[in-house]
Amino acid sequence: MCEICAGRLRDRHVRGGATLQECSGCGHLLRSLACAPAGHRDHAYGGEPTLDRWRLALTYRLLRRHSSPASVFEVGFGTGALLRRFLDDGASVAGADPDQLGLSVDPRVRAVGDLHACAVEDVADQAVSADLVYGIHVLEHVRDPTRTLQFAARLLRPGGSVQFLTPAGDSDGLRLYGAAWWMLEDPTHVRFFTARSLTLAAEAAGLVDIRVERPALDSTSTDAASLVRLVRPAQRPGGVLSSAPAVVSSMATTPLVLAARAVAPRLRPTLHLIARRPH
């Protein structure tokens, strides 16, 4: 049964030997590693520092394009790098992260931020009243995404907004690259939303003014990394982007990737949820 709409699940066989569970109602995808293996990546983190810095800057611009908050709360803050940008711009910052990746948090954010070493569901309601609650590629990891969205909404002031980015299960990249699609490389990606299932999850969380967009500039390395995985499958415990040639290829092909995404938006590998808590 689908975790979002309770629809019937059916096998979706993906080229390259992977099988996902697809909802017949909303298209939501569930993934078991036994049926859709990660492809020799052992850790949830599979990025590259230089690409991560570019992505961080683009993500911050994306969030600020839809909101100019005086206070923010990040679900899954990692190193606190995004919180640091909000802090430097004058916002008060808070967040929750169970520290599954064992990352060192920015010392300034650690010193002045209201940080909680737990899942967002374990943060007391009265602890935070934020203008913006956001999460960057976290909904695909959590046990119950609708519950996560519900708790995120409860941390908002009335009228405040949520923004979440998550891999798009209805991206054409999954069809083109099959099991080599880079979003399948992370062994902790247990689900992939469609625009429909993400909208339904936000509605179930009590959010309003819901929009789901497909940002062109998120995860620009996805296509190059997927092609490397498709053409040169190999044991890569650190992920395909631990390879210097893959990183160079990603940088070199970015203009072509962006041009293709402009012509065919469904090639974009990410969904961006923007919604609001009612007044």
Side-chain angles (χ1 to χ4, degrees), residues 23-264:
C23 175
S24 58
C26 66
H28 192 66
L29 296 173
L30 297 177
R31 183 263 194 98
S32 163
L33 274 178
C35 299
H40 314 304
R41 174 167 144 197
D42 298 337
H43 199 264
Y45 176 72
E48 194 278 332
T50 300
L51 296 177
D52 283 350
R53 284 194 293 272
W54 290 358
R55 182 177 178 184
L56 176 70
L58 293 170
T59 300
Y60 183 67
R61 288 182 59 189
L62 181 65
L63 294 174
R64 289 299 301 264
R65 182 159 60 88
H66 294 278
S67 179
S68 298
S71 57
V72 303
F73 186 101
E74 182 172 1
V75 181
F77 56 79
T79 65
L82 265 179
L83 288 179
R84 178 59 186 266
R85 290 190 174 235
F86 279 107
L87 183 63
D88 289 345
D89 276 348
S92 61
V93 300
D97 195 308
D99 196 26
Q100 292 176 321
L101 298 182
L103 300 172
S104 298
V105 178
D106 180 281
R108 178 67 177 155
V109 172
R110 189 172 60 244
V112 304
D114 179 17
L115 303 183
H116 303 261
C118 60
V120 67
E121 293 90 336
D122 298 322
V123 178
D125 291 350
Q126 66 273 18
V128 178
S129 180
D131 297 316
L132 169 66
V133 176
Y134 67 90
I136 309 303
H137 290 273
V138 297
L139 290 178
E140 61 271 24
H141 302 276
V142 299
R143 290 184 180 180
D144 186 336
T146 301
R147 190 163 181 260
T148 296
L149 287 171
Q150 289 170 340
F151 275 84
R154 286 164 61 176
L155 296 175
L156 284 169
R157 64 166 179 79
S161 62
V162 299
Q163 296 190 54
F164 282 85
L165 272 66
T166 190
D170 54 1
S171 166
D172 284 343
L174 177 59
R175 177 180 57 82
L176 289 173
Y177 303 115
W181 191 43
W182 185 58
M183 292 298 183
L184 286 169
E185 187 188 67
D186 188 332
T188 65
H189 282 181
V190 298
R191 69 180 58 79
F192 298 94
F193 284 92
T194 63
R196 175 63 176 157
S197 68
L198 189 54
T199 299
L200 291 174
E203 290 174 348
L207 295 165
V208 297
D209 296 340
I210 299 164
R211 306 199 311 276
V212 176
E213 300 179 352
R214 299 178 189 272
L217 295 176
D218 190 70
S219 298
T220 56
S221 60
T222 297
D223 292 274
S226 299
L227 282 171
V228 172
R229 281 166 49 82
L230 181 65
V231 175
R232 299 186 62 185
Q235 294 281 347
R236 298 184 182 94
V240 68
L241 291 179
S242 63
S243 160
V247 174
V248 172
S249 174
S250 175
M251 294 178 177
T253 58
T254 295
L256 293 175
V257 168
L258 295 180
R261 291 181 182 183
V263 174

